[in-house]
Amino acid sequence: MIDIEGRSAAEIADSLRTLIERGALRPGDALPPVRTLAEHLGVNRNTAVSAYRQLMNAGVVITLGRGGTRVAGGAAVAQEGFAADTALRDIGTGNPDPSRIPDPSHALASIARSPVLYGEPVIDPDLARWAQEWMGADLPPQIPMRLTVTSGAGDAVERLLAQALTRDDAVALEDPCFLTSIHTVRVAGYRPVPVPIDDEGMTVEGLRAALELGVRAVICTPRAQNPTGAGLSERRATELRAVLRDHPYVLVVEDDHYSLLSQLPYHSLIGAEHRRWALVRSVSKFLGPDMCLAVTASDPDTAERLAMRLTPGTTWVSHLLQRLVRALATDPEVTAGIRAAGEHYAARNAAFAELLSAEGIPTHTGDGLNVWVPLGAPARAVSEQLMRRGWLARPGDEFALGAEASDHLRLTVHDLDDADLRKLAADLGASVRAVRR
């Protein structure tokens, strides 16, 4: 046992931080299990849990579920966005096309300049009216609903889980899964339980098995699932709601990140009788990643706990940003541009899928910014072949919750012109053939 000291959570956390700062514990080193540490120090298990949570919240350690708690700073966690320091053509960014993000200049000049002071409502009234209509249109009319505004969908999901769960609680995640969800669950010390998905979304048997394992929360993407592009069908949503009917207090979080860009209708896991739920919609995919704002509609109890962490003057979302989002989202020219952008992404992805099929790689496009390409060969090996041809791709392994190697790539190609699309398809075909040989 390393020389950890302390009787309170704060003292234990401070002792561990000192050991890390002095190099006695290095990035990637495993910390003692909670029970072992508590017995060694003669403290309550909850005290040890609290100490580890303080360090996790500070980013000093990470928890990998049954993989234990380790000192942070080891292997890099995969993140969305451009790769740093590469001369290759990056086709793994997951970014929207910057040319299709609305120019906010005109809206900035028109938003109200009245200052907002401490103690005023956290949600801007005009945004609240627009969001009430936006969210309410897709939820059962008889279901009680309250709104919360956060700094993006990732912020909303993290706060939703934190107000409902404790360390080691199990969370059902789609597999393969959105990178931010994987990161959020692992860093907070929750146990990810993979639920397989197919073209219609989460599988019924997968969700049923996760609930039997005692998950306390389910995170689902109803449209444009990242990385696969899958969307919940009406039939599948009905089947999943039936499974959840016996678990009304399991927190269901729907991350409808693609909302206004989607080419698919919205179908929900949230039944009229479900007691703990949240629908999260950010604006980053259609107004730009720098517009760090998401609207969450949830049951009143969940909204109340969520709002406790959004106190005016400290953690609220700027009213200037809220007013800007509302101004853009209600501008007919902007909304027409958003619809056109969604159609553009779908058309470019479909064109690429057709080229891949001609190369002997049959590909079905889903919804969203990316294309999930089945290779019939190990993704890592294919991505290495693509690097030799000047492309930087994102292998499916990064999105998998299990340890098995993936045979998919997730590619962002909507911003490539026709010539580059053809070249990439040809290079990908050659890369797959080289690996298969």
Side-chain angles (χ1 to χ4, degrees):
M1 173 71 68
I2 52 179
D3 191 20
I4 305 173
E5 300 176 344
R7 301 291 299 173
S8 69
E11 290 171 349
I12 297 168
D14 186 62
S15 174
L16 280 164
R17 189 189 292 269
T18 299
L19 291 170
I20 293 168
E21 290 173 347
R22 293 179 178 177
L25 286 170
R26 298 183 178 278
D29 283 353
L31 300 186
V34 165
R35 189 180 300 280
T36 302
L37 178 61
E39 291 174 354
H40 172 72
L41 296 175
V43 299
N44 186 283
R45 180 180 181 276
N46 289 338
T47 301
V49 168
S50 179
Y52 279 2
R53 182 169 289 280
Q54 288 181 31
L55 293 172
M56 284 187 290
N57 289 341
V60 177
V61 304
I62 58 173
T63 295
L64 306 175
R66 294 179 181 175
T69 302
R70 296 181 177 272
V71 179
V77 177
Q79 300 287 340
E80 291 283 10
F82 293 108
D85 302 322
T86 180
L88 303 174
R89 183 71 180 269
D90 191 348
I91 50 172
T93 71
N95 271 317
D97 186 338
S99 70
R100 294 184 177 271
I101 293 173
D103 182 351
S105 303
H106 177 72
L108 278 169
S110 67
I111 61 176
R113 293 180 175 83
S114 56
V116 176
L117 305 177
Y118 299 126
E120 296 196 34
V122 172
I123 304 179
D124 185 78
D126 287 340
L127 179 75
R129 283 189 286 272
W130 170 76
Q132 186 79 29
E133 181 179 346
W134 183 34
M135 309 295 272
D138 288 321
L139 291 167
Q142 68 273 33
I143 192 169
M145 177 185 83
R146 280 184 51 184
L147 298 177
T148 310
V149 175
T150 62
S151 297
D155 181 42
V157 172
E158 181 179 3
R159 292 173 188 270
L160 284 162
L161 295 180
Q163 58 83 33
L165 308 181
T166 60
R167 183 180 182 272
D168 290 331
D169 278 347
V171 180
L173 296 178
E174 297 158 329
D175 189 20
C177 189
F178 181 41
L179 296 175
T180 300
S181 296
I182 297 174
H183 182 68
T184 297
V185 166
R186 287 181 173 166
V187 168
Y190 311 128
R191 288 186 293 113
V193 176
V195 177
I197 61 171
D198 58 23
D199 289 345
E200 296 183 76
M202 275 188 168
T203 62
V204 174
E205 288 306 314
L207 179 60
R208 183 177 289 116
L211 291 166
E212 289 173 355
L213 289 172
V215 297
R216 293 183 175 272
V218 177
I219 301 177
C220 172
T221 314
R223 296 183 282 195
Q225 197 272 345
N226 193 341
T228 68
L232 279 177
S233 67
E234 184 175 9
R235 182 193 68 169
R236 181 63 55 80
T238 300
E239 294 170 341
L240 294 173
R241 287 196 300 271
V243 173
L244 285 164
R245 197 170 294 133
D246 294 331
H247 304 271
Y249 289 96
V250 169
L251 175 64
V252 174
V253 180
E254 289 192 338
D255 182 4
D256 191 24
H257 68 102
Y258 205 57
S259 60
L260 296 184
L261 290 166
S262 180
Q263 306 300 293
L264 298 177
Y266 169 74
H267 299 298
S268 177
L269 270 67
I270 302 166
E273 303 302 320
H274 204 82
R275 302 296 296 273
R276 304 186 72 187
W277 59 272
L279 168 61
V280 181
R281 285 176 173 165
S282 74
V283 302
S284 61
K285 295 298 188 296
F286 50 88
L287 296 185
D290 202 36
M291 290 284 192
C292 295
L293 184 144
V295 177
T296 298
S298 65
D299 66 271
D301 289 342
T302 296
E304 185 68 28
R305 289 191 293 270
L306 191 57
M308 288 177 65
R309 303 188 64 196
L310 293 163
T311 55
T314 55
T315 55
W316 66 4
V317 176
S318 163
H319 280 241
L320 291 175
L321 179 59
Q322 293 187 50
R323 293 168 185 168
L324 178 58
V325 165
R326 186 260 176 188
L328 290 169
T330 56
D331 184 316
E333 184 176 343
V334 171
T335 54
I338 292 171
R339 287 193 297 272
E343 294 166 359
H344 168 78
Y345 296 138
R348 298 307 290 167
N349 289 345
F352 183 59
E354 187 175 343
L355 291 170
L356 288 181
S357 297
E359 288 288 336
I361 308 174
T363 302
H364 167 71
T365 56
D367 196 26
L369 295 175
N370 309 294
V371 181
W372 186 239
V373 182
L375 304 170
R380 289 281 178 188
V382 173
S383 66
E384 290 170 4
Q385 288 287 331
L386 278 175
M387 290 175 70
R388 298 174 187 175
R389 294 167 170 83
W391 304 98
L392 183 64
R394 192 177 288 271
D397 306 61
E398 296 182 356
F399 304 90
L401 293 175
E404 67 279 0
S406 174
D407 62 352
H408 283 73
L409 293 178
R410 195 207 69 179
L411 304 180
T412 309
V413 301
H414 56 72
D415 56 345
L416 300 181
D417 61 25
D418 289 344
D420 282 339
L421 274 187
R422 289 191 295 270
K423 183 178 188 309
L424 174 58
D427 286 347
L428 183 52
S431 298
V432 169
R433 290 189 290 274
V435 170
R436 287 175 179 171
R437 285 197 298 268

